[in-house]
Amino acid sequence: MKGITLLQPQKIVFGTGCIQTLVDDYKKMGLKRLFVLTAPPILPLIEPTLAELKEAGIHIEVFQNILAEPTLNDFNDIVEKARQFNADSVVGIGGGSVLDVAKLVAAFVHSDQQAADCFGIGLIKAKGLWFACLPTTAGTGSEVSPNAILLDERDHLKKGIVSPYLIADAAYVDPKLTWTVPAKVTADTGMDALTHCMEAYTNKFAHPTVDIYALQGIKLIAANLERAVKDGKDVEAREALALGSLYGGLCLGPVNTAAVHALSYPLGGEFHIPHGLSNAILLPSVMKFNMPASIKRYADVAIALGCEPGKSDEETAQRGVDFIYRLAEAVGIPQKLTDLGIPQTAVDGMAKAAMEVQRLLKNNPREVTEQDAKEIYNSLF
């Protein structure tokens, strides 16, 4: 069996209402200057938490103006605010973009390195401040991954910084924070989490230690996403999605994603399509492309999605693709790139940009050429 390295937060807390555990833990650590990154819709949910910390003598600076697709320049402005505040700790409470920025602020606030020089794997030199992540979507899994994504405006491409120093000291996954997430965001982020699990399981570097997370995540999300989209207050469905997203996040460090994510980056970088939606619209087309190279694994995925076995692995795997089409339609995911305002004339440029994301394409079970990328994009018009 091939070797694998699993790097995870020292502490992972899961459960409805567990944001209180963050307060209890933080008050014991002796830290005094907390830089909180969040978003305006989240503030009402966390005001009691912030008030309790302030009553304990903690100085808190809240930054809440993080865009859906934060750029390198946005990040540089935010980290400067954290320096001026003289933060000794960082907490991110929000969706994937908020968590990614929080991780990077903690890493770079007192560093002599620049984020622009650290795109790639393993380039951050040292651990930064103590930081914790609390996801409010289910979701990116960023709370437990070593990855952070920024839009590099120099070439309109989303790029990843991957480092063990971007793994949170603590992750608090409180499904209650997702109750107020709108249906569309629930759908987009749920499909993103499902894609993490599916790409990890069918990955060229898949491993039994990660397969457990991936298959369980697929089962939980497939069975509960439509329920949560239709009724955001369905506590059972929300908890299942939050756990499925956590499992997807645990897949990201050791195995990571593949062609769906690589092909989605140009949609976000050039056209500012939300990350989860980009993945959702590409997922079934990439599944069809990959199936010949990994038919048994895609059959396993179909079973985890809840499909009945066919007479052959090919038939079973195809049922999985059909299921994803149906699920995407049921939760309101558009079927065509034209529905997102992307012209077909953009295909050549997007394919060229996707080829730059070799850190993910190398994981794909089937080699993706630039021509393959064009054909996948063109199939969505």
Side-chain angles (χ1 to χ4, degrees):
M1 189 181 292
K2 61 189 174 188
I4 194 167
T5 299
L6 303 177
L7 299 172
Q8 298 174 0
Q10 186 175 6
K11 184 167 193 169
I12 300 173
V13 183
F14 180 91
T16 298
C18 76
I19 191 171
Q20 182 60 43
T21 310
L22 163 69
V23 176
D24 299 339
D25 289 348
Y26 191 89
K27 288 195 290 190
K28 294 172 186 170
M29 287 191 294
L31 298 168
K32 289 295 179 185
R33 302 189 67 80
L34 176 61
F35 193 71
V36 176
L37 295 107
T38 190
I42 309 302
L43 267 180
L45 302 178
I46 64 172
E47 277 171 353
T49 300
L50 300 182
E52 189 175 345
L53 288 169
K54 287 175 182 174
E55 286 169 14
I58 310 301
H59 300 279
I60 296 177
E61 176 89 1
V62 176
F63 185 88
Q64 57 171 317
N65 298 322
I66 295 176
L67 303 173
E69 305 286 339
T71 68
L72 191 54
N73 284 337
D74 294 333
F75 168 72
N76 289 333
D77 290 342
I78 296 166
V79 79
E80 188 54 40
K81 287 180 171 59
R83 288 185 184 120
Q84 290 169 5
F85 173 64
N86 194 26
D88 64 8
S89 48
V90 177
V91 168
I93 309 176
S97 296
V98 170
L99 301 186
D100 284 3
V101 171
K103 293 156 78 165
L104 293 171
V105 167
F108 288 102
V109 65
H110 298 314
S111 171
D112 58 2
Q113 290 185 283
Q114 298 294 315
D117 299 325
C118 294
F119 288 119
I121 299 173
L123 299 178
I124 297 177
K125 291 190 295 193
K127 170 110 171 70
L129 300 181
W130 180 95
F131 74 98
C133 290
L134 289 83
T136 61
T137 61
T140 64
S142 180
E143 68 274 8
V144 291
S145 87
N147 310 342
I149 308 298
L150 290 175
L151 173 57
D152 188 345
E153 53 270 86
R154 296 172 297 183
D155 50 13
H156 304 289
L157 190 61
K158 291 168 74 170
K159 296 180 180 177
I161 298 176
V162 183
S163 168
Y165 299 127
L166 294 183
I167 293 175
D169 294 281
Y172 301 86
V173 183
D174 185 345
K176 190 172 184 178
L177 294 175
T178 70
W179 288 2
T180 57
V181 174
K184 184 184 182 310
V185 179
T186 298
D188 292 352
T189 55
M191 292 297 290
D192 185 24
L194 184 58
T195 304
H196 293 156
C197 295
M198 290 172 62
E199 289 209 284
Y201 188 76
T202 56
N203 197 297
K204 191 187 292 182
F205 300 101
H207 192 278
T209 56
V210 176
D211 289 348
I212 295 169
Y213 295 137
L215 288 174
Q216 190 61 23
I218 292 168
K219 290 176 184 175
L220 287 166
I221 298 164
N224 290 279
L225 180 57
E226 191 175 349
R227 280 176 58 184
V229 168
K230 288 181 174 174
D231 178 8
K233 295 291 193 291
D234 184 331
V235 175
E236 187 177 68
R238 286 295 196 187
E239 288 182 336
L241 285 189
L243 186 55
S245 174
L246 173 62
Y247 286 147
L250 292 169
C251 295
L252 292 176
V255 172
N256 216 342
T257 56
V260 177
H261 276 69
L263 292 172
S264 82
Y265 279 3
L267 275 66
E270 188 171 349
F271 296 100
H272 307 290
I273 307 301
H275 173 67
L277 177 56
S278 301
N279 284 335
I281 202 165
L282 284 160
L283 178 57
S285 296
V286 175
M287 288 173 73
K288 285 195 288 189
F289 174 82
N290 280 343
M291 276 186 347
S294 189
I295 197 68
K296 176 67 172 72
R297 288 250 152 184
Y298 276 98
D300 293 343
V301 164
I303 299 299
L305 289 168
C307 302
E308 288 293 322
K311 294 174 182 173
S312 65
D313 285 341
E314 288 80 2
E315 185 179 337
T316 305
Q318 182 58 47
R319 288 181 180 182
V321 177
D322 296 341
F323 178 94
I324 293 297
Y325 275 122
R326 288 195 304 273
L327 178 62
E329 186 175 14
V331 299
I333 302 294
Q335 303 291 307
K336 301 290 181 186
L337 290 177
T338 41
D339 297 334
L340 306 180
I342 298 176
Q344 197 158 5
T345 52
V347 164
D348 287 2
M350 292 195 302
K352 188 175 182 64
M355 288 300 103
E356 298 294 313
V357 195
Q358 288 299 320
R359 74 178 179 88
L360 300 183
L361 288 176
K362 68 177 174 56
N363 302 334
N364 205 58
R366 182 178 174 187
E367 183 186 0
V368 181
T369 66
E370 193 169 328
Q371 183 59 36
D372 293 329
K374 290 179 186 178
E375 290 174 7
I376 291 169
Y377 287 135
N378 278 321
S379 73
L380 292 165
F381 286 93

